[in-house]
Amino acid sequence: MDLSRLPDNIPDNFRDADIDEALSDVKLWNKSISPEEERYRGNTVLRDNLAKVFTIVIIFWIVSVILILVGNNCNHYNLSDTVLVTLLTTTTVQVLGLVYIILKDLFPGGGNEINTNKTE
């Protein structure tokens, strides 16, 4: 890409030839990216976004459990010990499960590659 052709002052209007040249440059750039590479980039962005969303969900869930525990401690809810143990147990399992799923998706491989090599 030759950046020396760029003008120092940005013109207010563009000629049709400028727009056509820009479109052809974009088409050439898109042809240089393979569909596999494009899919890989899309999956990476998707995984990153999902990890952020699940992180927010986990934080929200933990804060809500803490608020329930504090409210119960201040005698606002009067929940039994069995309910509190169940709440803490399910929260722990859910948080650990979501973290495991996120990490497994972000860093695939490992066990699958070993099994495929042994069968060959």
Side-chain angles (χ1 to χ4, degrees):
M1 187 182 284
D2 184 18
L3 297 179
S4 63
R5 299 185 307 154
L6 294 175
D8 291 334
N9 298 333
I10 300 174
D12 291 335
N13 55 1
F14 295 99
R15 299 177 308 202
D16 289 337
D18 294 334
I19 295 173
D20 290 339
E21 183 181 356
L23 288 174
S24 67
D25 287 345
V26 167
K27 287 178 184 175
L28 283 174
W29 182 75
N30 284 338
K31 285 182 183 177
S32 66
I33 299 174
S34 69
E36 182 179 335
E37 194 174 320
E38 185 69 29
R39 187 173 54 249
Y40 176 76
R41 287 181 183 178
N43 284 344
T44 303
V45 170
L46 179 64
R47 288 177 180 173
D48 187 42
N49 290 339
L50 286 175
K52 290 175 184 175
V53 167
F54 278 116
T55 302
I56 291 169
V57 168
I58 289 170
I59 290 171
F60 175 74
W61 185 258
I62 291 174
V63 167
S64 64
V65 168
I66 290 172
L67 291 175
I68 290 172
L69 292 175
V70 169
N72 190 59
N73 193 31
C74 297
N75 293 326
H76 294 294
Y77 301 131
N78 296 327
L79 299 173
S80 68
D81 290 340
T82 307
V83 172
L84 294 176
V85 168
T86 305
L87 178 67
L88 290 174
T89 303
T90 57
T91 299
T92 304
V93 169
Q94 287 176 356
V95 167
L96 292 176
L98 285 175
V99 168
Y100 174 75
I101 290 169
I102 290 170
L103 291 177
K104 185 178 177 184
D105 189 46
L106 286 176
F107 304 105
N112 293 339
E113 293 173 358
I114 293 171
N115 290 339
T116 56
N117 289 338
K118 287 181 180 178
T119 57
E120 289 179 358

